[in-house]
């Protein structure tokens, strides 16, 4: 083997070594970039999931409100609003399953349509307030309505709901996949009387405290 051939072989050997090193460096760079990007991607996915859940929960709340206004949900029917403490609509107690109305989003009839294992279904709590109403039927005079929408899996075994008045509200941004112990959506509205309007009662409710 001539000296020239030896130099060529040595050069090829060195080039091969550099190729392996460059490959290792490239792998390290890609790994570092993936580690840096992964949390951002996970945050983005979680935000989209929570935004979609909030949108569906808002639809569930509107469905519930419409059912009350049309009389589809009446006193004595499961899910009819419970009385709120006098003068404190937001202080309505944390609900039990019996106090909620099921909104079935996945079409699964198991567990009454809202199985505790479901991540798509919602349970809606309503609370009413009207100092002029008597008994448990406020429909004749209308009432202020508080609506809280919970995930169905909020009522799974081992989950303790937080008092919504004392807890922070959920946000789409920064809430990850959400907190099962709090409502996804909370809103309030007015339900008009079913019979002759009680204008004095409506006026009193709409007055600023």
């Amino acid at each position: 083997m001539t000296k020239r051939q030896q130099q060529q072989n040595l050069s090829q050997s060195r080039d091969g070594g550099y190729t392996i090193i460059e490959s290792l460096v490239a792998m390290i760079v890609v790994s570092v970039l993936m580690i840096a990007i992964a949390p951002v991607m996970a945050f983005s996915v979680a935000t989209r999931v929570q935004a979609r859940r909030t949108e569906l929960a808002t639809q569930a709340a509107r469905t519930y409100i419409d059912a009350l206004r049309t009389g589809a949900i009446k006193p004595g029917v499961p899910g009819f609003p419970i009385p709120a403490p006098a003068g404190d609509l937001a202080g309505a107690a944390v609900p039990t399953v019996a106090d909620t109305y099921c909104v079935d989003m996945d079409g699964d009839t198991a567990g009454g349509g809202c199985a505790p294992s479901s991540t798509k279904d919602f349970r809606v709590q309503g609370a009413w307030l009207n100092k002029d109403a008597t008994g448990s039927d406020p429909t004749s005079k209308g009432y202020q309505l508080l609506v809280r929408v919970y995930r169905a899996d909020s009522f799974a075994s081992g989950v303790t709901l937080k008092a919504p008045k004392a807890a922070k509200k959920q946000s789409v941004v920064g809430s990850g996949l959400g907190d099962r112990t709090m409502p996804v959506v909370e809103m309030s509205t007015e339900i008009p009387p079913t019979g002759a309007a009680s204008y004095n009662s409506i006026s009193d409710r709409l007055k600023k405290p």
Side-chain angles (χ1 to χ4, degrees):
M1 182 180 294
T2 64
K3 185 174 182 180
R4 182 180 179 82
Q5 290 175 332
Q6 290 177 347
Q7 289 176 345
Q8 289 178 345
N9 291 338
L10 181 59
S11 177
Q12 291 175 353
S13 177
R14 288 176 178 174
D15 289 343
Y18 287 131
T19 301
I20 293 174
I21 293 174
E22 289 171 354
S23 299
L24 291 174
V25 171
M27 291 174 63
I28 292 172
V29 171
V30 171
S31 298
V32 171
L33 290 175
M34 290 299 295
I35 292 173
I37 294 174
V40 178
M41 294 178 63
F43 176 80
S44 176
V45 171
T47 299
R48 286 200 300 271
V49 170
Q50 183 65 2
R52 178 59 176 165
R53 180 180 286 133
T54 301
E55 179 184 354
L56 293 175
T58 302
Q59 293 179 12
R62 290 173 178 167
T63 299
Y64 179 74
I65 292 170
D66 289 343
L68 289 172
R69 285 176 173 164
T70 59
I73 302 177
K74 301 178 180 179
V77 174
F80 188 80
I82 61 174
D88 187 12
L89 185 63
V94 172
T96 63
V97 172
D99 296 330
T100 60
Y101 178 78
C102 171
V103 179
D104 186 4
M105 290 289 188
D106 57 13
D108 184 7
T109 58
C114 288
S117 58
S118 174
T119 57
K120 296 181 180 179
D121 296 337
F122 296 98
R123 287 196 171 275
V124 185
Q125 177 201 20
W128 65 266
L129 180 63
N130 184 356
K131 65 180 182 180
D132 293 334
T134 57
S136 59
D137 183 0
T139 56
S140 62
K141 293 190 175 182
Y143 52 92
Q144 288 177 287
L145 174 70
L146 172 70
V147 178
R148 294 174 182 151
V149 183
Y150 292 87
R151 295 159 49 175
D153 60 359
S154 294
F155 297 88
S157 177
V159 179
T160 302
L161 299 180
K162 295 178 183 176
K165 194 174 180 180
K168 294 182 179 179
K169 306 302 180 187
Q170 292 201 54
S171 170
V172 172
V173 179
S175 62
L177 293 177
D179 186 348
R180 289 191 297 171
T181 65
M182 294 190 297
V184 180
V185 168
E186 183 173 312
M187 62 178 68
S188 61
T189 187
E190 282 281 331
I191 302 297
T194 55
S198 177
Y199 295 108
N200 289 336
S201 179
I202 295 173
S203 176
D204 289 343
R205 294 202 307 277
L206 296 181
K207 284 180 181 178
K208 292 183 179 180

